[in-house]
Amino acid sequence: MRFETPVALWVRVGAVFAAAVLIWLLLVQGLDLLLPSTGRDLLAHTIRAVSATVLTVAAIALACRFLDRRPWRELQLGPPRAGWRFFLLGMVLWLVPAALGWALCTGLGWARVTVTGDAAEVAASLLALVALVICYEALPEELIFRGYLFRNLAERYRTPVVVVAQAALFTLWALCWGGIDGPVRVLLFFTFGLALGACRAATGTVWTGIGFHTAYQVAAQFFTPGTTPLSDGLSRVEGVEPLSAVAFWALPFALGATAVVLGHRARRRVTGLSAV
């Protein structure tokens, strides 16, 4: 198939950004109007998760065909069959600093966590939560911001500019559909976008960010009361604010992003030396 010249960059970026806002407005506010009795129950969560992935993939496929006018593979997202290593790498990049933050918070008495469910209940809840997080947040958001938008912005701008720009768009997107309710959430989304952008830039694939994104969302939702019905009654957390700020946010975002960038630079130096 022969593809023509892409339309203007700002049209591509603006159209996909607008589509992302509309999709989440539909999923968050539209579903509440259609199914007012579901609230935040498992049915609503599942419908949102499946719909988010389906609508996002459809929107990006249409953008590739009619705006970029080039095949999907040129987005350089990386095939799923080869992406699991990067997915696991992304999870490790979040989990290791998070474990350090967890130890710090509990060791200093800032937080106390008690798992009240049995092992089978906790395992089942975590597996279901992983699936829903991937479908509702990690996969669609990474495809849009660290996939499509990152790749298109990188055609014209240097990597540091692209990382900051996509983080700003990620934050603006959350503001538009109501995912941000204060300055702390603005900072959370922007720094999260920077960390995810660093994962994308350093490894060249969205799968690292999907792993990082999944690890953060699963932990945050499981240990934050009232976030998801899947974890209700399975844990009790005292001091959720310092635990969230230090163990789930500050240390993983800063250290995880730093580690992936330094690791990428070290690998490039070793590759360069071995080629000499």
Side-chain angles (χ1 to χ4, degrees):
M1 183 180 293
R2 183 177 179 181
F3 288 83
E4 302 172 356
T5 304
V7 301
L9 176 63
W10 69 269
V11 175
R12 284 176 274 156
V13 170
V16 171
F17 177 83
V21 172
L22 290 174
I23 288 171
W24 261 262
L25 282 173
L26 173 64
L27 296 178
V28 176
Q29 300 184 21
L31 189 61
D32 285 342
L33 294 175
L34 293 173
L35 301 172
S37 62
T38 61
R40 289 188 172 273
D41 67 14
L42 188 56
L43 172 63
H45 201 162
T46 303
I47 292 173
R48 288 187 174 103
V50 174
S51 300
T53 293
V54 171
L55 293 174
T56 295
V57 170
I60 294 179
L62 290 172
C64 288
R65 180 63 184 89
F66 296 104
L67 298 179
D68 297 62
R69 296 170 181 168
R70 59 190 176 190
W72 174 290
R73 65 177 180 273
E74 290 193 14
L75 287 177
Q76 299 176 348
L77 303 178
R81 64 180 180 275
W84 65 270
R85 294 184 182 86
F86 289 103
F87 178 86
L88 293 178
L89 171 63
M91 294 194 77
V92 169
L93 287 170
W94 187 88
L95 287 169
V96 172
L100 295 175
W102 184 294
L104 178 66
C105 289
T106 55
L108 294 177
W110 297 346
R112 182 178 179 181
V113 181
T114 305
V115 176
T116 56
D118 61 41
E121 288 179 316
V122 171
S125 175
L126 288 174
L127 286 174
L129 193 52
V130 166
L132 290 176
V133 162
I134 289 175
C135 291
Y136 188 28
E137 288 117 347
L139 180 60
E141 291 175 19
E142 295 311 300
L143 284 177
I144 293 168
F145 292 96
R146 269 62 64 178
Y148 185 89
L149 295 181
F150 192 106
R151 177 66 180 85
N152 277 274
L153 290 169
E155 292 179 359
R156 182 173 300 178
Y157 303 105
R158 298 177 60 215
T159 300
V161 175
V162 175
V163 170
V164 174
Q166 61 80 33
L169 289 171
F170 185 53
T171 307
L172 179 60
W173 162 79
L175 277 167
C176 289
W177 62 262
I180 291 178
D181 55 7
V184 173
R185 293 279 291 177
V186 170
L187 185 60
L188 171 63
F189 267 86
F190 186 68
T191 54
F192 194 23
L194 291 177
L196 293 167
C199 289
R200 169 65 171 86
T203 62
T205 174
V206 297
W207 291 103
T208 314
I210 292 173
F212 191 98
H213 203 141
T214 299
Y216 165 69
Q217 288 285 357
V218 168
Q221 292 182 28
F222 187 85
F223 291 107
T224 302
T227 304
T228 172
L230 286 171
S231 63
D232 288 348
L234 297 182
S235 67
R236 183 171 62 251
V237 183
E238 301 173 21
V240 66
E241 291 83 6
L243 185 69
S244 297
V246 176
F248 296 167
W249 176 5
L251 286 183
F253 289 11
L255 297 182
T258 302
V260 74
V261 171
L262 293 179
H264 173 66
R265 290 179 178 176
R267 186 181 63 181
R268 289 184 61 184
R269 286 197 296 268
V270 170
T271 302
L273 287 173
S274 63
V276 175

